[in-house]
Amino acid sequence: MRTFWGLMRAYWFSDRWKEAWTLTLVIALLTALSSKAGVWFAMASGEMVNSIAFFHDAANTNPLQALLTNAGILVLLVVLKDAGFTGVRNLVSTTLHRKWRGWLNSQFNQALLDGNHTHFHAQHGSVAGSIVAPDNIDQRIQESIKDMTGGAIGLAMGVLGVATSLYFVGENLIGASVEVKGLEFLGSYGSAVLAFLAVATYVPLNTWIAVKLGGMLERLNIRMQQAEGSYRAELTTFLRRSFHVAASHGEDVQKTMHDRLYVDIDKTWGRLNVVNTSYTSFELIYNFIGARIVSYGPGLVPFIHNGFDLKGYITGSEMVAQLISQCSWFIHVMPAIATLRANSQRVTELANAVENVQQPQEFYRQTGRSDFSYATQNPVFGLTIQKLELAHQGEDATPFLSAANLRFRRGEWTFLKGESGCGKTSLIKAINGLWPYGRGTIVFPEGVTSFYAAQEVKLQQVSLKQLVCLPGSENDHSDMQVAAALHKAGLGEFIEHLTDESREGKIWDQVLSGGQKQKLVVARIILQQPGLLFLDEATGALDPEGKIAFHEAIKGNCPDVTVISVMHEAVPPRSLSGEEFYHSVVAIADGVATKKPLVPTLPRELTTILAQPPRPAEDKWLRFRRLKQK
């Protein structure tokens, strides 16, 4: 689906090809019947005009009956054509539109939300380089796919309509053709040749004009989609950070940003309106001349020379008008073609972006150095990091963080320490395959699951049970297990709402406070029982007591978990009894990460003294001196 035609035909060659082809063939049949009904309509129009023209003719014994009969037949044909064939075709085509869009939507969702984290990598292209990250992915999936599929089906039906009309109308024009004075060498095909010549001259010339105007429409449509998408994305981001805008009284700044983004929409919209108006005026004039002048011209000469009677002249002219109308589908749908091309370009760009990042390191190597190696080892040896260097984009970028050899044993708790911006979070991201540039080897304990708890918690719009069961399914755990995890995490008050997706009209992301969201993370950890736990400032919204409870809940319920944690604090929290949660610290200074025990081992003599029952200070000091002399 990386090219226009590949995108167009993918659905018809997918596992749902029977559904696609069945609907397509039904549409083709109804289109052919509609074209045939158009021929019947033209013939009935000629009969009715003829009955009007000879209404007062003495030979016409039942003029009113003939007129009413022809009018009734014309109405029935209109109902059959428009309400029957065309109406049913519209229902089938909209069904095809719905099915095709649903299939494409599922394909892009599966591709973006795969285990490769494609949705993450696809947004990290190099704007300065040859790779450009796709803007407004949500708009491309929602609006561009919908409009593209609908536009493509409409255009396909137009092409099919032209083909069937050429066959049925052309057959009747040739059958009713007569000799034309001055064109006797054409024989009885004279009037048909004139009709085809008029269509072949008038339609292509105006199609060329339509193509030029359509090119302008296409460029403006693409620009309009980009502007609309950027404005909508900013509005969505603003609503998510509404509290921070209010707290900082940043409404004026936000308003200025919105106004600036909308100016782009307004200017593009203005230009688009001018071109659309010009195209509408061109199309109206084209339709009038085609239906009232060009279509009646070819039959006029044989009519003047009595080659046609009035009925034959009207019938032939109506058929030429229909042929012009059908062959003008390109002109009529040029705005739709411009929109189709704009939408398909944005969809194929997204498809290419998805395909480009299937091998993330190969993708990032186009804009920098990316040589990370991931392997597994016996769980006894824990997690090992060797010769790690992290850098930013660019082949010659200097590493901002290096770690020669870091080992984290099973059950060990390690605290990451360093100044803000030194690379603590980047180190955790690199271990989890979410940092693009650098090199090094990361060896995971085999068969051990990992859990990444980020600083900012954004909850999905699902039930509370599903939130606790993430990343698994709510069917993986019983209600009792989930309730127990919530209780241990300090969220027992919400147990009765396990199956609810909202509470009092608000989704859980709006119901839970920042601290409660981080307790929900604890519930997930307790339920999932990971072997590796990465805490990226996961206690930032908790008070000191809450941070202690957070750690105690994990310590008490996940005894063998290996924890690597980043926190704002210079010193990690301790339990209420003063016991250390953490065993070691990774200190990052001057771009180098080194690991050491959190508390240096005390001399054996001092450990022995401290283990003795309390004595007066003088006795303890003398005992220490004696031991030291020995």
Side-chain angles (χ1 to χ4, degrees), residues 233-391:
E234 178 54 39
L235 285 174
T236 302
T237 304
F238 155 64
L239 293 175
R240 289 175 178 171
R241 63 178 180 226
S242 178
F243 169 77
H244 302 287
V245 173
S248 62
H249 298 279
E251 283 82 1
D252 287 341
V253 175
Q254 191 70 40
K255 177 177 173 296
T256 302
M257 188 183 303
H258 289 177
D259 291 343
R260 176 171 53 80
L261 288 171
Y262 192 79
V263 164
D264 194 15
I265 294 177
D266 189 63
K267 288 182 178 179
T268 307
W269 197 357
R271 292 194 292 269
L272 191 59
N273 286 342
V274 171
V275 179
N276 272 321
T277 301
S278 301
Y279 196 92
T280 301
S281 301
F282 156 75
E283 189 176 5
L284 289 172
I285 296 171
Y286 170 83
N287 290 339
F288 175 80
I289 294 175
R292 291 293 176 263
I293 298 177
V294 177
S295 60
Y296 281 81
L300 184 60
V301 175
F303 175 70
I304 291 174
H305 293 90
N306 293 319
F308 282 139
D309 58 11
L310 180 61
K311 173 185 171 182
Y313 177 48
I314 295 298
T315 302
S317 298
E318 286 292 326
M319 288 188 180
V320 174
Q322 183 182 347
L323 190 60
I324 290 175
S325 177
Q326 292 291 343
C327 291
S328 301
W329 69 273
F330 197 81
I331 294 174
H332 297 322
V333 300
M334 180 53 67
I337 292 175
T339 303
L340 170 64
R341 288 177 60 86
N343 285 318
S344 64
Q345 179 177 326
R346 290 178 67 73
V347 176
T348 52
E349 282 177 357
L350 178 57
N352 277 290
V354 169
E355 186 65 27
N356 288 337
V357 299
Q358 292 310 299
Q359 299 295 329
Q361 292 200 51
E362 293 295 330
F363 170 70
Y364 289 121
R365 281 174 190 152
Q366 299 178 60
T367 53
R369 183 171 186 176
S370 184
D371 293 309
F372 294 105
S373 174
Y374 296 90
T376 58
Q377 63 185 1
N378 192 301
V380 174
F381 300 108
L383 172 69
T384 303
I385 299 172
Q386 298 172 336
K387 299 179 180 179
L388 182 71
E389 291 183 350
L390 303 184

Side-chain angles (χ1 to χ4, degrees), residues 461-521:
Q461 191 170 341
V462 293
S463 69
L464 180 60
K465 182 180 179 181
Q466 179 65 80
L467 287 173
V468 181
C469 292
L470 288 174
S473 167
E474 59 185 346
N475 299 321
D476 296 339
H477 304 278
S478 67
D479 289 355
M480 187 172 294
Q481 290 174 317
V482 175
L486 284 171
H487 177 74
K488 292 175 181 177
L491 295 174
E493 60 189 288
F494 297 108
I495 289 176
E496 62 186 66
H497 301 285
L498 277 182
T499 59
D500 297 341
E501 291 189 4
S502 61
R503 187 178 180 188
E504 298 179 354
K506 296 181 179 179
I507 61 174
W508 289 107
D509 192 47
Q510 298 170 332
V511 172
L512 301 178
S513 66
Q516 288 173 329
K517 289 179 184 178
Q518 293 183 325
K519 289 180 181 179
L520 184 64
V521 171

